[in-house]
């Protein structure tokens, strides 16, 4: 059996499959055989199911790829709230398969369940897309529409999850087990193909296409919605070809009833006079068959072993939240192409498709040749270790990223620096503060910000400027947890100054921030690009910061009373903040001086590749065999690393004491026990007769 046959989907490995859904048993009612594909033993109907699955996975993963940045940029939520809602949605998607399985097995059957919940799925996508239109209502309307849409999407995607693959297996006759197994390989391939393409394409639709003057989230959600509509249409188009099995009762409900009856029966029979039974589930034998009880015993043993596994998947899902947020603080320029931060997620499905044959055809056979007992539990534990190493690398990268961040301020602290726009050096002193020991040179690139310790939430400070024998004094009020620049400039043969507020943190989502100081004696109107117009008053007035995409801006314009002049700003890099001073107009061109206030992102996004390699390798070992943060500081990634290693240790200990049970051996044991019991009863009866 190849790896594809063992892995239906990385999100369906622990979902509930309905009673009678085991395609290998062939319990199908007699139906007319469906047409075959090109004379093979493959039913034509599976083509519609595979295309449906590709479109649905494109729809789901495409929408989810941009979801965290949607919360962050469109709703202006902070990183923690954005991450929390993202994972709440993912958790709901993992819960709703229970609802879908019950609906399919106890009420509607798989075909109708897929149809009805796909309609719910489509409605959710449409509501989600409409909620991303900026001109439609206020933020409260957008939030309500988005949350309703996400709830319906979770109900739809989770509800059809346990049905589609099983419904595909239903299409094969009993004798075509080999073709059915290969179908699941193709089915899993369609899942990863849809995930791979969508996680690369939808971030492009979000970031590279502009609508309503900003990132086009409406389009990024609208295209997945269209794919889900297509998925529904394709599935319905094959209706006349499908083999449709009726509902056969839900095994999950039967298992729950069996467990409940065993517990209830045991509590009723607590007397010491009543003989004990070998297993607590044996107390259900008065109502349920030994075969069902034996199978439930195996289920409970496996479920106990799987207790630590949700931690793996919870952390694995961090690729769409914390790792994406980490990518927004990195350099995404790959030379020939600039990646969007949410595009890095496409590496996971790509690496999965690469690793599966490498592991199955290369690594595992090599380990077997070395006569190493690489059991499934050991594979899963190894997968956890690899995932833990991935988060360890993420922590190291986060440390390097934070080196370019602004210092985090506490109460009664502020930051200040000096920009000397005069022609000669200036000595700046602040009363009772031991700062700026050396004179500040003319147009000197500013050093690091200096920390001010205040005596309260705000304080009036006395500044003294010494310039060519002149001493000038100014008073400015400084507030705590704020960042300032003291602008010193020549005015009417003397000096003057402004205290202006700077950015307190890096621009979000890898954008660049720029503001302008007009050193001319006339007002200016600036055009940075076709969508950005900035008016700056004369005599060293400063504009507000403008956020721009990372790019080279050499086609701007500066319009004054005397004419229109070209404006070349050069590269405005990822995550940087700039102050551009217009100093003069000479020779038909604008002369500027550009200062980098906050350093650009200097850690390249390619450094995330090792952690994606490790987490993907861990997924292959973990999910195929066995069968997702508080703060954005590096300490969080260390926490995740420790958690994964702790879970790995717990899992390994549990695995050491776990004894694998073969279902056939269990049935044989039960039969022997029953036979032995009957033998004892016969012996007793014989003795009684003799007496």
């Amino acid at each position: 059996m190849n790896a594809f046959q063992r892995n239906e989907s990385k999100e369906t490995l622990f979902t509930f499959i309905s009673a009678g859904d085991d395609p290998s048993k062939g319990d199908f009612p007699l139906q007319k055989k469906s047409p075959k594909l090109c004379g093979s033993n493959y039913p034509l109907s599976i083509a519609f199911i595979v295309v449906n699955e590709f479109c649905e996975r494109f729809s789901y993963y495409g929408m989810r790829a941009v979801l965290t940045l949607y919360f962050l940029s469109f709703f202006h939520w902070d990183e923690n709230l954005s991450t929390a809602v993202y994972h709440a949605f993912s958790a709901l998607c993992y819960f709703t398969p229970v609802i879908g399985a019950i609906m399919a097995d106890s009420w509607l059957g798989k075909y109708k369940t897929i149809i009805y919940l796909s309609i719910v799925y489509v409605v959710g996508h449409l509501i989600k897309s409409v909620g991303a239109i900026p001109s439609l209502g206020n933020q409260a309307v957008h939030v309500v529409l988005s949350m309703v849409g996400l709830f319906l999407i979770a109900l739809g995607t989770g509800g059809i999850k346990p049905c589609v693959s099983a419904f595909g297996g239903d299409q094969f006759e009993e004798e075509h087990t080999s073709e059915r197994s290969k179908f699941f390989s193709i089915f899993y391939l369609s899942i990863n193909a849809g995930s791979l393409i969508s996680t690369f394409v939808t971030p492009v639709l979000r970031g590279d296409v502009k609508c309503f003057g900003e990132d086009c989230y409406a389009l990024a959600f609208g295209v997945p919605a269209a794919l889900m509509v297509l998925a529904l249409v394709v599935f319905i188009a094959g209706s006349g070809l499908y083999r449709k099995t009726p509902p056969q009762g839900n095994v999950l409900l039967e298992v729950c009833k069996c467990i409940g009856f065993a517990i209830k029966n045991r509590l009723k029979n607590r007397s010491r006079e009543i003989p004990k039974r070998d297993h607590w589930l044996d107390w259900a034998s008065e109502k349920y068959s030994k075969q069902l009880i034996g199978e439930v015993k195996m289920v409970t043993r496996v479920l106990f072993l799987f207790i630590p596994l949700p931690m793996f998947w919870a952390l694995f899902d961090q690729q769409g939240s914390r790792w994406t947020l980490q990518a927004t603080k990195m350099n995404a320029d790959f030379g020939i192409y600039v990646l969007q931060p949410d595009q890095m997620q496409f590496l996971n499905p790509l690496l999965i498709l690469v690793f599966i044959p490498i592991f199955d055809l290369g690594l595992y056979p090599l380990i077997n040749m070395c006569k190493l007992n690489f059991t499934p539990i050991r594979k899963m534990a190894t997968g956890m270790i690899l995932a833990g190493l991935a988060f360890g690398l993420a922590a190291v990268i986060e440390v390097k990223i934070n080196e370019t961040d602004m210092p985090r301020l506490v109460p009664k602290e502020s930051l200040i620096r000096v920009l000397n726009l005069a022609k000669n050096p200036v000595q700046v002193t602040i009363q009772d503060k031991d700062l700026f020991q050396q004179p500040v040179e003319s147009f000197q690139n500013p050093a690091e910000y200096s920390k001010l310790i205040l005596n309260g939430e705000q304080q009036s400070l006395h500044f003294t400027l010494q310039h060519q024998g002149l001493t000038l004094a100014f008073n400015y009020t400084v507030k705590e947890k704020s960042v300032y620049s003291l602008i010193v400039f020549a005015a009417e043969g003397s000096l003057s100054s402004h205290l202006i507020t700077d950015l307190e943190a890096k621009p979000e989502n890898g954008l660049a921030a720029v503001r302008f100081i007009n050193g001319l004696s006339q007002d200016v109107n600036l055009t940075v690009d076709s969508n950005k117009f900035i008016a700056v008053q004369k005599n060293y007035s400063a504009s507000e910061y403008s956020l721009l995409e990372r790019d080279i801006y050499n086609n701007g314009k500066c319009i004054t009373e005397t004419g229109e002049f070209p404006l070349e700003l050069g590269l405005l890099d990822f995550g940087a903040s700039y102050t551009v001073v217009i100093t003069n107009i000479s020779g038909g061109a604008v002369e500027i001086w550009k200062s980098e206030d906050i350093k650009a992102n200097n850690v390249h996004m390619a450094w995330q590749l090792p952690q994606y390699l490790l987490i993907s390798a861990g997924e292959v070992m973990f999910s195929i065999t066995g069968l997702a943060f508080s703060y954005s500081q590096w300490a969080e990634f260390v926490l995740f690393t420790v958690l994964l290693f702790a879970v790995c240790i717990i899992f390994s200990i549990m695995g050491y004491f776990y004894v694998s049970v073969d279902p056939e051996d269990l049935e044989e044991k039960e039969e022997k026990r029953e036979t032995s019991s009957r033998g004892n009863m016969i012996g007793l009866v014989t003795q009684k007769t003799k007496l």
Side-chain angles (χ1 to χ4, degrees):
M1 182 181 292
N2 64 34
F4 287 133
Q5 296 165 13
R6 296 197 301 269
N7 192 4
E8 175 191 323
S9 164
K10 55 185 160 189
E11 290 200 10
T12 61
L13 295 171
F14 297 115
T15 55
F16 297 91
I17 303 299
S18 55
D21 277 352
D22 183 358
S24 64
K25 295 182 180 179
D27 297 331
F28 304 115
L30 292 176
Q31 297 184 22
K32 181 180 178 180
K33 293 185 178 181
S34 61
K36 306 297 182 182
L37 276 169
C38 303
S40 67
N41 291 325
Y42 293 95
L44 180 61
S45 57
I46 66 169
F48 294 88
I49 296 173
V50 169
V51 173
N52 164 268
E53 184 66 12
F54 170 83
C55 295
E56 188 275 327
R57 291 290 85 184
F58 186 109
S59 169
Y60 174 75
Y61 283 112
M63 179 277 304
R64 202 180 72 161
V66 300
L67 195 57
T68 299
L69 294 187
Y70 174 69
F71 294 149
L72 196 69
S73 302
F74 194 84
F75 289 164
H76 303 292
W77 290 349
D78 61 31
E79 292 185 358
N80 296 326
L81 179 58
S82 301
T83 301
V85 176
Y86 173 88
H87 289 292
F89 167 71
S90 297
L92 186 59
C93 291
Y94 289 125
F95 173 76
T96 50
V98 180
I99 300 174
I102 294 174
M103 288 176 60
D105 291 338
S106 305
W107 180 24
L108 296 174
K110 289 185 284 292
Y111 174 75
K112 289 184 178 179
T113 300
I114 294 171
I115 293 291
Y116 295 159
L117 290 182
S118 291
I119 293 173
V120 173
Y121 201 163
V122 168
V123 173
H125 266 301
L126 295 177
I127 293 175
K128 185 77 186 69
S129 302
V130 171
I133 300 176
S135 59
L136 186 66
N138 55 23
Q139 182 169 344
V141 173
H142 295 148
V143 171
V144 170
L145 289 176
S146 295
M147 294 304 106
V148 171
L150 287 175
F151 176 80
L152 296 178
I153 290 171
L155 181 60
T157 187
I160 68 175
K161 194 172 294 182
C163 303
V164 178
S165 59
F167 186 69
D170 289 349
Q171 307 309 306
F172 292 85
E173 286 85 13
E174 181 180 359
E175 63 270 19
H176 297 148
T177 55
S178 174
E179 287 81 2
R180 184 186 295 119
S181 296
K182 292 178 181 177
F183 158 73
F184 286 114
S185 299
I186 299 171
F187 187 84
Y188 183 66
L189 180 65
S190 70
I191 291 172
N192 280 276
S195 171
L196 173 64
I197 297 173
S198 64
T199 50
F200 189 86
V201 171
T202 50
V204 174
L205 299 177
R206 173 198 62 80
D208 293 352
V209 179
K210 301 299 178 184
C211 57
F212 307 102
E214 54 188 68
D215 284 355
C216 200
Y217 285 101
L219 179 63
F221 291 136
V223 170
L227 264 292
M228 190 57 219
V229 172
L230 179 60
L232 178 59
V233 170
V234 169
F235 187 77
I236 294 176
S239 176
L241 303 173
Y242 297 140
R243 293 164 54 93
K244 304 169 186 174
T245 58
Q248 299 177 16
N250 188 267
V251 69
L252 175 62
L253 294 178
E254 288 298 309
V255 168
C256 293
K257 289 178 181 178
C258 178
I259 294 174
F261 181 81
I263 296 173
K264 182 179 178 182
N265 196 27
R266 179 67 184 92
L267 293 176
K268 283 183 177 180
N269 297 277
R270 289 178 293 178
S271 173
R272 295 182 178 179
E273 298 177 359
I274 300 175
K276 295 182 178 180
R277 301 187 182 182
D278 293 341
H279 194 281
W280 65 272
L281 277 169
D282 291 333
W283 290 95
S285 59
E286 283 82 358
K287 186 175 181 180
Y288 295 94
S289 67
K290 290 185 178 296
Q291 180 181 357
L292 177 62
I293 293 173
E295 291 173 349
V296 174
K297 288 178 182 178
M298 288 188 290
V299 168
T300 56
R301 288 166 61 85
V302 173
L303 286 178
F304 173 74
L305 187 66
F306 281 177
I307 287 174
L309 305 195
M311 177 60 71
F312 175 90
W313 292 112
L315 300 184
F316 175 85
D317 238 13
Q318 302 295 322
Q319 294 176 70
S321 57
R322 290 299 182 183
W323 285 16
T324 297
L325 294 174
Q326 185 183 67
T328 64
K329 298 178 285 187
M330 304 178 77
N331 187 336
D333 186 2
F334 284 82
I336 59 174
Y337 188 76
V338 176
L339 276 182
Q340 298 291 340
D342 37 3
Q343 272 184 302
M344 285 296 288
Q345 299 174 64
F346 92 96
L347 284 175
N348 178 247
L350 175 63
L351 291 171
I352 291 297
L353 293 176
V354 172
F355 281 157
I356 285 176
I358 291 176
F359 279 54
D360 234 35
L361 303 178
L363 180 61
Y364 294 156
L366 182 62
I367 293 175
N368 292 334
M369 288 174 60
C370 297
K371 300 188 183 302
L372 296 175
N373 188 19
F374 203 36
T375 63
I377 289 178
R378 290 176 179 174
K379 289 179 183 177
M380 296 172 72
T382 304
M384 289 183 178
I385 292 173
L386 293 176
L389 292 174
F391 277 94
L393 289 179
V396 174
I397 291 173
E398 193 73 5
V399 172
K400 298 299 294 181
I401 288 174
N402 288 342
E403 290 179 358
T404 63
D405 273 354
M406 293 288 288
R408 292 188 176 272
L409 298 174
V410 299
K412 298 184 180 181
E413 281 188 358
S414 291
L415 296 176
I416 192 170
R417 64 171 187 171
V418 176
L419 294 180
N420 180 11
L421 306 183
K423 294 181 179 180
N424 297 293
V426 175
Q427 178 66 56
V428 179
T429 57
I430 305 176
Q431 186 175 359
D432 299 328
K433 307 296 180 185
D434 187 20
L435 301 176
F436 311 122
Q437 300 297 321
Q438 301 296 325
V440 181
E441 298 294 331
S442 176
F443 290 93
Q444 172 183 316
N445 285 324
E448 298 281 334
Y449 282 91
S450 299
K451 185 177 293 185
L452 278 173
I453 305 300
L454 309 180
N455 57 17
E457 294 183 359
Q458 63 180 31
Q459 182 180 352
S460 179
L461 298 178
H462 184 77
F463 291 79
T464 301
L465 307 180
Q466 294 178 342
H467 170 71
Q468 293 185 328
L470 296 177
T471 300
L472 303 170
F474 303 91
N475 289 323
Y476 292 109
T477 299
V478 176
K479 297 181 180 179
E480 66 177 1
K481 302 175 71 173
S482 298
V483 183
Y484 298 95
S485 285
L486 180 66
I487 309 299
V488 180
F489 55 91
E492 299 178 355
S494 183
L495 287 183
S496 187
S497 65
H498 294 322
L499 188 67
I500 59 177
T501 304
D502 297 354
L503 289 182
E504 299 171 8
K506 273 180 168 290
E508 295 179 345
N509 302 331
L511 297 175
V514 61
R515 68 177 173 189
F516 295 88
I517 295 177
N518 181 10
L520 304 180
S521 58
Q522 51 186 323
D523 297 342
V524 298
N525 291 299
L526 307 174
T527 303
V528 178
D529 60 17
S530 58
N531 299 318
K532 190 66 64 176
F533 305 94
I534 304 168
V536 191
Q537 295 181 349
K538 60 186 178 181
N539 297 332
Y540 294 93
S541 296
S543 69
E544 298 293 329
Y545 281 101
S546 297
L547 296 178
L548 300 169
E549 298 284 346
R550 186 261 192 187
D551 206 344
I552 297 175
Y553 293 89
N554 285 335
N555 297 317
K557 296 179 181 179
C558 177
I559 304 173
T560 69
E561 298 173 355
T562 58
E564 181 179 302
F565 306 94
L567 178 63
E568 298 182 359
L569 300 180
L571 175 65
L572 302 182
D573 213 348
F574 295 108
S577 171
Y578 300 93
T579 295
V580 177
V581 182
I582 302 174
T583 59
N584 194 16
I585 295 178
S586 176
V590 177
E591 296 180 0
I592 64 170
W593 177 73
K594 185 169 70 173
S595 166
E596 188 178 55
D597 306 337
I598 299 176
K599 294 180 180 179
N601 300 344
N602 60 4
V603 180
H604 201 276
M605 201 180 287
W607 284 106
Q608 279 196 325
L609 180 59
Q611 65 198 56
Y612 273 98
L613 286 168
L614 288 172
I615 197 80
S616 300
E619 181 191 358
V620 170
M621 284 192 168
F622 183 88
S623 66
I624 294 180
T625 305
L627 13 212
F629 291 44
S630 302
Y631 293 95
S632 62
Q633 303 307 297
W634 70 273
E636 180 184 35
F637 291 97
V638 174
L639 170 64
F640 294 152
T641 304
V642 173
L643 283 175
L644 259 179
F645 278 115
V647 169
C648 174
I649 293 171
I650 295 171
F651 178 78
S652 300
I653 294 172
M654 295 170 64
Y656 177 79
F657 291 102
Y658 176 79
V659 179
S660 180
V661 178
D662 190 305
E664 295 181 0
D665 293 342
L666 186 63
E667 291 178 7
E668 184 178 346
K669 184 178 179 181
E670 293 289 347
E671 289 176 2
K672 287 182 179 179
R673 182 185 300 171
E674 188 173 347
T675 303
S676 175
S677 176
R678 288 172 181 169
N680 291 337
M681 291 173 65
I682 292 171
L684 287 172
V685 172
T686 302
Q687 287 182 349
K688 189 173 182 179
T689 303
K690 287 181 179 179
L691 287 172

PDB file of all heavy atoms in Angstrom, residues 2-3 355-366:
ATOM      1  N   ASN A   2       0.641   2.147  -0.932  1.00  0.00           N
ATOM      2  CA  ASN A   2       1.483   3.332  -0.976  1.00  0.00           C
ATOM      3  C   ASN A   2       0.978   4.400  -0.030  1.00  0.00           C
ATOM      4  O   ASN A   2      -0.070   4.271   0.584  1.00  0.00           O
ATOM      5  CB  ASN A   2       1.589   3.866  -2.413  1.00  0.00           C
ATOM      6  CG  ASN A   2       0.255   4.336  -2.968  1.00  0.00           C
ATOM      7  OD1 ASN A   2      -0.563   4.854  -2.231  1.00  0.00           O
ATOM      8  ND2 ASN A   2       0.052   4.145  -4.253  1.00  0.00           N
ATOM      9  N   ALA A   3       1.756   5.474   0.055  1.00  0.00           N
ATOM     10  CA  ALA A   3       1.433   6.514   1.050  1.00  0.00           C
ATOM     11  C   ALA A   3       0.121   7.192   0.756  1.00  0.00           C
ATOM     12  O   ALA A   3      -0.606   7.573   1.656  1.00  0.00           O
ATOM     13  CB  ALA A   3       2.561   7.539   1.090  1.00  0.00           C
ATOM     14  N   PHE A 355       7.681  14.861  -0.477  1.00  0.00           N
ATOM     15  CA  PHE A 355       8.193  13.980   0.571  1.00  0.00           C
ATOM     16  C   PHE A 355       7.543  12.595   0.574  1.00  0.00           C
ATOM     17  O   PHE A 355       8.183  11.614   0.955  1.00  0.00           O
ATOM     18  CB  PHE A 355       8.003  14.627   1.947  1.00  0.00           C
ATOM     19  CG  PHE A 355       9.031  15.661   2.276  1.00  0.00           C
ATOM     20  CD1 PHE A 355       8.785  16.653   3.217  1.00  0.00           C
ATOM     21  CD2 PHE A 355      10.267  15.659   1.659  1.00  0.00           C
ATOM     22  CE1 PHE A 355       9.735  17.605   3.523  1.00  0.00           C
ATOM     23  CE2 PHE A 355      11.226  16.612   1.958  1.00  0.00           C
ATOM     24  CZ  PHE A 355      10.954  17.583   2.888  1.00  0.00           C
ATOM     25  N   ILE A 356       6.275  12.512   0.202  1.00  0.00           N
ATOM     26  CA  ILE A 356       5.585  11.223   0.294  1.00  0.00           C
ATOM     27  C   ILE A 356       6.307  10.134  -0.503  1.00  0.00           C
ATOM     28  O   ILE A 356       6.617   9.070   0.048  1.00  0.00           O
ATOM     29  CB  ILE A 356       4.113  11.358  -0.138  1.00  0.00           C
ATOM     30  CG1 ILE A 356       3.321  12.065   0.966  1.00  0.00           C
ATOM     31  CG2 ILE A 356       3.494   9.999  -0.431  1.00  0.00           C
ATOM     32  CD1 ILE A 356       1.882  12.334   0.619  1.00  0.00           C
ATOM     33  N   PRO A 357       6.613  10.324  -1.786  1.00  0.00           N
ATOM     34  CA  PRO A 357       7.357   9.262  -2.488  1.00  0.00           C
ATOM     35  C   PRO A 357       8.781   9.083  -1.972  1.00  0.00           C
ATOM     36  O   PRO A 357       9.292   7.960  -1.965  1.00  0.00           O
ATOM     37  CB  PRO A 357       7.348   9.744  -3.948  1.00  0.00           C
ATOM     38  CG  PRO A 357       7.094  11.206  -3.895  1.00  0.00           C
ATOM     39  CD  PRO A 357       6.235  11.423  -2.704  1.00  0.00           C
ATOM     40  N   ILE A 358       9.415  10.181  -1.532  1.00  0.00           N
ATOM     41  CA  ILE A 358      10.777  10.053  -1.002  1.00  0.00           C
ATOM     42  C   ILE A 358      10.782   9.180   0.253  1.00  0.00           C
ATOM     43  O   ILE A 358      11.623   8.287   0.410  1.00  0.00           O
ATOM     44  CB  ILE A 358      11.370  11.444  -0.704  1.00  0.00           C
ATOM     45  CG1 ILE A 358      11.629  12.216  -2.002  1.00  0.00           C
ATOM     46  CG2 ILE A 358      12.665  11.319   0.092  1.00  0.00           C
ATOM     47  CD1 ILE A 358      12.131  13.622  -1.790  1.00  0.00           C
ATOM     48  N   PHE A 359       9.827   9.419   1.141  1.00  0.00           N
ATOM     49  CA  PHE A 359       9.771   8.645   2.376  1.00  0.00           C
ATOM     50  C   PHE A 359       9.351   7.202   2.104  1.00  0.00           C
ATOM     51  O   PHE A 359       9.934   6.269   2.659  1.00  0.00           O
ATOM     52  CB  PHE A 359       8.789   9.294   3.365  1.00  0.00           C
ATOM     53  CG  PHE A 359       9.377  10.442   4.128  1.00  0.00           C
ATOM     54  CD1 PHE A 359       9.979  11.504   3.479  1.00  0.00           C
ATOM     55  CD2 PHE A 359       9.327  10.478   5.507  1.00  0.00           C
ATOM     56  CE1 PHE A 359      10.525  12.570   4.173  1.00  0.00           C
ATOM     57  CE2 PHE A 359       9.864  11.534   6.223  1.00  0.00           C
ATOM     58  CZ  PHE A 359      10.466  12.580   5.555  1.00  0.00           C
ATOM     59  N   ASP A 360       8.335   7.050   1.247  1.00  0.00           N
ATOM     60  CA  ASP A 360       7.780   5.718   1.030  1.00  0.00           C
ATOM     61  C   ASP A 360       8.690   4.834   0.187  1.00  0.00           C
ATOM     62  O   ASP A 360       8.768   3.629   0.412  1.00  0.00           O
ATOM     63  CB  ASP A 360       6.410   5.848   0.349  1.00  0.00           C
ATOM     64  CG  ASP A 360       5.343   5.122   1.131  1.00  0.00           C
ATOM     65  OD1 ASP A 360       5.435   5.111   2.368  1.00  0.00           O
ATOM     66  OD2 ASP A 360       4.431   4.558   0.511  1.00  0.00           O
ATOM     67  N   LEU A 361       9.361   5.426  -0.781  1.00  0.00           N
ATOM     68  CA  LEU A 361      10.178   4.638  -1.700  1.00  0.00           C
ATOM     69  C   LEU A 361      11.663   4.682  -1.360  1.00  0.00           C
ATOM     70  O   LEU A 361      12.429   3.865  -1.889  1.00  0.00           O
ATOM     71  CB  LEU A 361       9.974   5.130  -3.141  1.00  0.00           C
ATOM     72  CG  LEU A 361       8.531   5.125  -3.652  1.00  0.00           C
ATOM     73  CD1 LEU A 361       8.471   5.688  -5.064  1.00  0.00           C
ATOM     74  CD2 LEU A 361       7.948   3.718  -3.606  1.00  0.00           C
ATOM     75  N   GLY A 362      12.074   5.617  -0.513  1.00  0.00           N
ATOM     76  CA  GLY A 362      13.488   5.754  -0.212  1.00  0.00           C
ATOM     77  C   GLY A 362      13.826   5.594   1.254  1.00  0.00           C
ATOM     78  O   GLY A 362      14.545   4.671   1.644  1.00  0.00           O
ATOM     79  N   LEU A 363      13.305   6.487   2.101  1.00  0.00           N
ATOM     80  CA  LEU A 363      13.713   6.516   3.502  1.00  0.00           C
ATOM     81  C   LEU A 363      13.283   5.268   4.263  1.00  0.00           C
ATOM     82  O   LEU A 363      14.102   4.611   4.915  1.00  0.00           O
ATOM     83  CB  LEU A 363      13.147   7.773   4.174  1.00  0.00           C
ATOM     84  CG  LEU A 363      13.485   7.945   5.658  1.00  0.00           C
ATOM     85  CD1 LEU A 363      14.992   8.048   5.852  1.00  0.00           C
ATOM     86  CD2 LEU A 363      12.782   9.163   6.239  1.00  0.00           C
ATOM     87  N   TYR A 364      11.992   4.928   4.191  1.00  0.00           N
ATOM     88  CA  TYR A 364      11.500   3.778   4.944  1.00  0.00           C
ATOM     89  C   TYR A 364      12.139   2.460   4.500  1.00  0.00           C
ATOM     90  O   TYR A 364      12.528   1.647   5.351  1.00  0.00           O
ATOM     91  CB  TYR A 364       9.974   3.702   4.859  1.00  0.00           C
ATOM     92  CG  TYR A 364       9.259   4.851   5.543  1.00  0.00           C
ATOM     93  CD1 TYR A 364       7.974   5.226   5.176  1.00  0.00           C
ATOM     94  CD2 TYR A 364       9.869   5.562   6.572  1.00  0.00           C
ATOM     95  CE1 TYR A 364       7.312   6.276   5.799  1.00  0.00           C
ATOM     96  CE2 TYR A 364       9.225   6.613   7.203  1.00  0.00           C
ATOM     97  CZ  TYR A 364       7.946   6.963   6.811  1.00  0.00           C
ATOM     98  OH  TYR A 364       7.294   7.994   7.433  1.00  0.00           O
ATOM     99  N   PRO A 365      12.257   2.186   3.181  1.00  0.00           N
ATOM    100  CA  PRO A 365      12.970   0.957   2.779  1.00  0.00           C
ATOM    101  C   PRO A 365      14.420   0.931   3.261  1.00  0.00           C
ATOM    102  O   PRO A 365      14.925  -0.127   3.638  1.00  0.00           O
ATOM    103  CB  PRO A 365      12.889   0.993   1.246  1.00  0.00           C
ATOM    104  CG  PRO A 365      11.689   1.805   0.946  1.00  0.00           C
ATOM    105  CD  PRO A 365      11.638   2.841   2.012  1.00  0.00           C
ATOM    106  N   LEU A 366      15.086   2.098   3.277  1.00  0.00           N
ATOM    107  CA  LEU A 366      16.467   2.153   3.751  1.00  0.00           C
ATOM    108  C   LEU A 366      16.546   1.814   5.237  1.00  0.00           C
ATOM    109  O   LEU A 366      17.438   1.077   5.677  1.00  0.00           O
ATOM    110  CB  LEU A 366      17.045   3.543   3.491  1.00  0.00           C
ATOM    111  CG  LEU A 366      18.509   3.766   3.896  1.00  0.00           C
ATOM    112  CD1 LEU A 366      19.429   2.835   3.110  1.00  0.00           C
ATOM    113  CD2 LEU A 366      18.907   5.223   3.674  1.00  0.00           C
TER     114      LEU A 366
END
